[in-house]
Structures are given as structure tokens and as C-alpha cells.
Amino acid sequence: MRNERLRDALLRNGFTPTDVALAIRVDAKTVERWITKGRTPYPKHRHALAAMLRESESYLWPDAVAPEHAAQVSESEVIRIYPHRNSVPVEVWDRLIDAAAKRVDVLVHAALFLVERPAFIKELRRKAEAGSGIRLCFGDPASREVARRSEEEGLGKGTLAARIRNALAFYRPLQGVAGVEMRFHRSTLYNSIFRFDNEMIVNTHVYGIQGAHAPALHLRRLSIGSLFETYSECFDAVWTSARSATF
């Protein structure tokens, strides 16, 4: 079975099997078999190729690492647990945003607190112009899911939709900027996800509690861990089902 994840990662990074073979000193036909036949490389080659592609081993070869080992490593992916999202220090957000050079992924309903950071939108534009990929996924303010969440959080009918529209006004300058994509989702959002390269803040959602007061996890990706990868795959799944945001 073809390894589509490996194939896609090579294409995204502009690498050919020959490039990989030269970089990690294996035969190009061996690399082809890793892709077309789904063969699993030796650990040293997995590590080198994952680093080269800036992906985790657990993403590229999900079955290569024993579940027990992956679980142990995943514990080390947790940098800190905060009792509430609004207790994540401002300097942590500043560092994550400032340091991101390749990817910024945001999955939220509104996240007005981000645009309260005065330079946030300008920083996203600057990063996109420097080659970073920016994906912003908001709750569809016209959806039943947003209306239901607004009531479940005790905000009242239409309040969350209004917050989303308010937030979108700040993001309007990013429309049409190369490298910035914005979409609306209609999913039942179990977690808000804020990814900055290989670090991430996951804001869990708790019934009846507003997001700012729900717990948050600060994660850092490790090559064979699976926790960071789980939330990355969650983002991708919602992103794939979302539609282009027009506002």
C-alpha cells in the first residue's frame, strides 16, 4: 500500500526520491519502495527523513512505533497544563506567535482575545509574505452549531455569532493575502487549536463553560509522540470539511 503521507510531505517540500536518497545515504529505489509499497525505513532513516520533512515519525509511519512507547513519549509532549485558557501567560502567546516561521493554524469559534493583541493581524500578514502558511478556521456565524454553543455557554441567543462577526472585522485586511486562507466550519468544536510550527495551545471545551475559563494544554511536538499529532489531525479534518470564508 502506498504511503500517501510520505508522498505528500515530499511534494510539499519539493523533494524527489533522489534528493532523499542523497541526503540520508540510501538507494533511490529504496526510497521509492518506502513510498509506493509502504515499506517502513529503519529507525535511523525514519528519524532523518522526518527531520528533513519537518513531520513526526508517528504521522509518516503510524504503525512503526509501539503504542506503549508512543504513549510514554506523548507524556513528554505536554509542557504545561493551565486550569483556564486566560491563565496562559501573555508572554507565552507572544513567544509562540513571534517565533512561528512555517505554519500558523487556528481553529476557533471567534477567539477575540487574539486580535486584542495590537500587532497580531500585521504579524500574520508579515509571516505570510515571508512564506509561512496561515490557516484560520472560524465558526460559521450562520450555523446551528454556533447558535447551540452560544446557548450552551450561557451567552444567550446570537451572542457567539455576533462575537464571530466582530472578530472577522479585524481579519478583513488579510483577505486576498497570498499564504493566508480563511474558512468557516460547522463542526461541533470539542477543542480550540492554536498551532505555531511545532508548538500548540489546545483549549478544551467544557459544557456550560466559556472557552476562556476552560483548561488549556501547551504541547510541543516530538518525533514519535502521538498527542500533538492527534490534535493536528483534528485540525486537518475540520479544515477539509470547512468552506471558504466570505465576509
Side-chain angles (χ1 to χ4, degrees), residues 19-224:
D19 296 329
V20 173
L22 291 172
I24 62 178
R25 299 181 182 181
V26 296
D27 191 278
K29 291 183 179 179
T30 298
V31 180
E32 289 283 1
R33 286 192 287 271
W34 293 343
I35 301 168
T36 61
K37 298 185 181 298
R39 301 282 176 82
T40 302
Y42 290 123
K44 67 177 182 179
H45 295 144
R46 291 201 306 267
H47 180 74
L49 186 49
M52 185 177 177
L53 297 176
R54 298 185 180 90
E55 292 288 357
S56 70
E57 292 181 48
S58 58
Y59 171 77
L60 295 172
W61 303 280
D63 300 323
V65 181
E68 298 81 5
H69 188 197
Q72 291 175 350
V73 173
S74 294
E75 292 179 10
S76 298
E77 290 187 296
V78 180
I79 297 174
R80 186 166 178 179
I81 300 175
Y82 296 93
H84 316 291
R85 190 202 68 212
N86 62 7
S87 62
V88 178
V90 173
E91 55 267 26
V92 170
W93 288 108
D94 286 349
R95 182 185 64 78
L96 292 174
I97 295 168
D98 291 344
K102 297 294 182 181
R103 180 184 302 184
V104 175
D105 289 339
V106 175
L107 172 61
V108 294
H109 280 125
L112 268 169
F113 77 95
L114 285 177
V115 293
E116 290 172 356
R117 189 176 189 270
F120 181 65
I121 300 300
K122 291 180 180 179
E123 287 175 354
L124 290 185
R125 184 178 189 124
R126 177 177 56 79
K127 289 180 184 299
E129 291 172 346
S132 297
I134 312 293
R135 297 187 296 178
L136 308 171
C137 200
F138 306 97
D140 186 338
S143 68
R144 291 179 299 173
E145 290 77 11
V146 164
R148 183 180 301 118
R149 179 57 62 87
S150 188
E151 294 180 6
E152 289 175 350
E153 292 188 358
L155 298 174
K157 186 177 180 180
T159 301
L160 182 54
R163 285 185 179 179
I164 295 171
R165 293 188 178 96
N166 189 9
L168 292 174
F170 290 92
Y171 288 93
R172 189 165 282 113
L174 295 178
Q175 288 186 313
V177 175
V180 178
E181 295 182 81
M182 292 184 278
R183 295 185 182 181
F184 285 152
H185 68 82
R186 292 193 168 194
S187 64
T188 300
L189 198 60
Y190 299 106
N191 304 277
S192 291
I193 296 173
F194 309 88
R195 178 178 179 176
F196 308 96
D197 289 347
N198 289 323
E199 291 189 59
M200 179 186 292
I201 300 291
V202 177
N203 182 194
T204 65
H205 288 192
V206 181
Y207 185 89
I209 296 177
Q210 295 182 35
H213 305 298
L217 311 176
H218 182 182
L219 308 177
R220 179 179 288 128
R221 187 186 206 179
L222 295 178
S223 182
I224 60 173

